[in-house]
Amino acid sequence: MDVRRRSINPIHQIPSAPPMLKPKQATKAADVDLADSPKASDALPLPLYLTNGVFFTLFFTVVYYLLVRWREKIRNSTPLHVVTLSEIAAIVTFVASFIYLLGFLGIGLVQPFTTRSSHDDIWGADDDEDVDEIVLKDDTRTVPCAAAPVDCPLPPPKPKVVDPTPISPPSSEEDEEIIRSVVTGTTPSYVLETKLGDCHRAAAIRREALQRKTEKSLAGLPLNGFDYDSILGQCCEMPVGYIQIPVGIAGPLLLDVPKRAAELKFFLENPLNYETLATVFNRSSRFGKLQNIKCAIAGKNLFMRFSCSTGDAMGMNMVSKGVQNVLDFLQNDFADMDVIGISGNYCSDKKPAAVNWIEGRGKSVVCEAVIKEEVVKKVLKTNVASLVELNMLKNLTGSAMAGALGGFNAHASNIVSAVFLATGQDPAQNVESSHCITMMEPVNDGKDLHISVTMPSIEVGTVGGGTQLASQSACLNLLGVKGACKEAPGSNARLLATIVAGSVLAGELSLMSALAAGQLVNSHMKYNRSSKDVSKASS
């Protein structure tokens, strides 16, 4: 961005097992587990083909009948909500047959209405005592429910689990068939919950299939005693068991928060206080205008980062005076806090820092260009594909391997240092000003090259400091950015930052082309080294 920014920062100091079953109850539970999964066709005690035929015939018959009747009503201008007894019967038949067909086709939403669930259909339960035993098996409460009478019987105590999940054979022939289909890949493992409608059963089948396929035992990994419905669609995909994690406590832990530093942070970052703080900050300079204050807390210390515009000056002195004004003002309401230093390195000046790469410092500039294929081949002596590949492996991957901070480029600092020395900038600020990421990509069907440099923290000025020296002033004049711009304060400094970025782009393109063409060493030897035979000279 082209807004002039300077920054400075002072410091202000496990589930339980199922209940034990009686012999008779265990027999009933086994019957439930071994029974085939209920189907919609179980709703009527007829052969499957007859049941399906009846409901299919009813469905299409009543649909046709209702359509004919409603068409007649529309023609005769009869209200549709006025229905006869035969039409009511047809509607009821339509709804019943429609629900049946949905259940027959496997729609899990309506199957509870058309089938008997494994808990409600007590196979072989021929008296009330059997029913009570099965209900008791399913009741895992340790205390009576809120709506239960006082004398509501509790389930028997639950035994400790010694071996959570011993390896056991499949509970039914149907499960065995599903396991084989999962092992062979006919049935994807991830659809078991949807197909079976039972998350625990799906986990058990998947677990057995995994053991057979890998020939590895999961005997030490618990399966039972976990609510697999609770993780359906979240937390874990394709579960085969769970792990037990011990939980302990430690304490008491007495906490005290450094509230005073937080109060100052909230005060400085509150938009309602901006006008007051800006007035105090801006009274030291015509060009120094406060933009924002960002704070960070470390223990009981508060670090503040001031950002402001500084016209055509680089602005360090301007910012320092404005910050001092604010610190003096804050002593009125925060007299109990000490100013440790007017600069706390949160700025961060003359040091590589992520805060400058992310937030920016000075001028933030993006410069780009499109290089035609002809120029790449004839002038740069390489091709677009080679440049793009080299940039990715060198400037991006290579820099990442080195843990670079802001150094995702070939040699930006070479260009920045040269321009800084020639134009009277602070050479030490080359550190953060050289933060740059160079990017290249093919465009126009891969024929041409798009190159860009992004430089978020170029610190330059055209007035003050070394810009007043004769040689540096002459260079600034040559570039057309000498002194301050009276019509638009700050525009000369912004133009100088743009010149720096454009020069860096040209330097990146030149060096990368030499590397891609394998000419770097020869170029250095030709233009930058003496051809004198050193061995003969030394003898």
Side-chain angles (χ1 to χ4, degrees):
M1 59 185 178
D2 57 5
V3 176
R4 182 60 173 160
R5 300 184 301 180
R6 299 285 352 122
S7 304
I8 191 168
N9 57 302
I11 311 176
H12 272 53
Q13 183 157 343
I14 336 200
S16 58
M20 186 72 71
L21 303 179
K22 297 183 296 183
K24 184 176 181 180
Q25 181 179 348
T27 302
K28 298 297 182 180
D31 290 340
V32 173
D33 292 336
L34 291 174
D36 292 337
S37 297
K39 304 179 180 62
S41 57
D42 295 336
L44 292 179
L46 296 175
L48 179 60
Y49 70 95
L50 288 180
T51 304
N52 293 342
V54 169
F55 278 98
F56 272 101
T57 303
L58 285 175
F59 177 78
F60 290 108
T61 301
V62 296
V63 168
Y64 177 76
Y65 172 75
L66 291 173
L67 290 176
V68 171
R69 290 294 299 155
W70 289 340
R71 183 178 63 180
E72 293 177 355
K73 289 185 177 184
I74 293 174
R75 289 178 178 177
N76 299 330
S77 300
T78 304
L80 295 179
H81 64 273
V82 177
V83 293
T84 64
L85 186 59
S86 61
E87 291 173 343
I88 293 175
I91 293 173
V92 172
T93 304
F94 167 76
V95 173
S97 59
F98 180 72
I99 292 176
Y100 173 84
L101 293 177
L102 285 181
F104 176 76
L105 295 174
I107 309 301
L109 179 64
V110 299
Q111 283 190 353
F113 300 99
T114 62
T115 62
R116 296 168 294 180
S117 68
S118 59
H119 293 290
D120 296 333
D121 187 7
I122 311 299
W123 291 288
D126 52 0
D127 52 41
D128 293 339
E129 181 181 356
D130 293 338
V131 175
D132 291 339
E133 289 176 356
I134 299 301
V135 172
L136 187 59
K137 169 184 177 293
D138 291 337
D139 188 356
T140 57
R141 298 189 304 270
T142 57
V143 296
C145 58
V150 178
D151 59 350
C152 176
L154 294 177
K158 302 174 182 179
K160 295 182 179 180
V161 178
V162 179
D163 184 2
T165 311
I167 300 178
S168 60
S171 59
S172 70
E173 293 182 1
E174 182 182 4
D175 286 357
E176 177 62 33
E177 182 179 350
I178 298 174
I179 292 172
R180 287 197 296 265
S181 67
V182 173
V183 172
T184 59
T186 305
T187 300
S189 180
Y190 61 83
V191 303
L192 290 177
E193 283 78 4
T194 303
K195 291 287 187 181
L196 301 176
D198 185 336
C199 293
H200 183 278
R201 183 183 173 201
I205 290 176
R206 181 182 298 114
R207 176 192 183 98
E208 180 60 26
L210 178 63
Q211 292 184 125
R212 296 185 187 182
K213 198 167 185 177
T214 62
E215 297 182 353
K216 304 292 184 181
S217 173
L218 295 178
L221 184 68
L223 173 66
N224 297 324
F226 185 83
D227 182 10
Y228 291 95
D229 290 326
S230 65
I231 61 171
L232 181 62
Q234 61 182 357
C235 299
C236 180
E237 298 179 3
M238 300 194 295
V240 294
Y242 63 96
I243 61 173
Q244 298 167 322
I245 301 178
V247 177
I249 61 171
L253 177 63
L254 303 179
L255 296 176
D256 187 14
V257 183
K259 293 187 293 186
R260 197 58 174 155
E263 290 173 357
L264 179 54
K265 170 182 168 66
F266 294 145
F267 177 84
L268 292 171
E269 294 183 345
N270 190 339
L272 298 178
N273 299 324
Y274 171 77
E275 292 295 335
T276 301
L277 295 172
T279 300
V280 173
F281 183 96
N282 297 343
R283 66 189 180 196
S284 62
S285 172
R286 290 184 301 151
F287 301 103
K289 305 298 180 183
L290 181 66
Q291 294 177 332
N292 63 72
I293 305 175
K294 292 188 176 181
C295 303
I297 294 179
K300 62 179 181 178
N301 303 303
L302 180 69
F303 294 80
M304 298 179 287
R305 195 172 197 258
F306 290 75
S307 297
C308 68
S309 59
T310 57
D312 284 305
M314 193 278 292
M316 282 298 294
N317 293 333
M318 194 182 300
V319 176
S320 297
K321 289 188 291 183
V323 170
Q324 188 62 58
N325 292 341
V326 174
L327 295 179
D328 294 340
F329 170 78
L330 292 175
Q331 288 297 309
N332 297 327
D333 294 324
F334 297 89
D336 55 328
M337 300 192 71
D338 298 323
V339 178
I340 306 302
I342 195 172
S343 177
N345 275 1
Y346 190 41
C347 352
S348 171
D349 186 40
K350 301 179 178 67
K351 289 166 284 293
V355 68
N356 291 334
W357 179 259
I358 298 171
E359 299 288 346
R361 178 175 166 86
K363 305 293 188 292
S364 297
V365 184
V366 177
C367 185
E368 60 181 355
V370 174
I371 312 299
K372 293 296 183 181
E373 179 184 27
E374 182 180 4
V375 176
V376 173
K377 290 183 177 180
K378 294 184 178 180
V379 178
L380 302 178
K381 309 300 183 184
T382 183
N383 59 76
V384 173
S386 297
L387 281 172
V388 171
E389 181 182 27
L390 176 63
N391 184 74
M392 180 188 68
L393 294 177
K394 171 182 168 62
N395 289 341
L396 304 183
T397 307
S399 297
M401 293 292 292
L405 179 60
F408 294 86
N409 57 80
H411 68 147
S413 61
N414 275 340
I415 311 301
V416 174
S417 296
V419 176
F420 270 33
L421 292 172
T423 58
Q425 311 305 313
D426 188 340
Q429 290 181 329
N430 167 67
V431 176
E432 61 266 40
S433 296
S434 295
H435 281 186
C436 172
I437 180 169
T438 301
M439 303 186 70
M440 298 183 186
E441 60 180 292
V443 293
N444 302 329
D445 297 327
K447 296 180 180 179
D448 304 329
L449 174 71
H450 179 274
I451 178 174
S452 67
V453 293
T454 301
M455 307 181 70
S457 51
I458 302 178
E459 298 177 277
V460 292
T462 58
V463 296
T467 65
Q468 303 177 55
L469 298 174
S471 300
Q472 284 76 5
S473 179
C475 291
L476 289 171
N477 186 55
L478 178 64
L479 297 174
V481 293
K482 178 182 176 181
C485 180
K486 298 180 180 180
E487 294 78 13
S491 60
N492 279 353
R494 289 194 293 270
L495 180 56
L496 179 57
T498 304
I499 293 172
V500 171
S503 302
V504 168
L505 186 147
E508 292 289 281
L509 184 62
S510 176
L511 176 57
M512 294 295 288
S513 298
L515 289 170
Q519 297 178 350
L520 178 64
V521 175
N522 292 335
S523 299
H524 272 268
M525 297 304 297
K526 181 177 181 180
Y527 299 107
N528 226 19
R529 295 287 185 270
S530 172
S531 59
K532 183 177 180 181
D533 191 336
V534 180
S535 60
K536 292 182 179 179
S538 60
S539 60

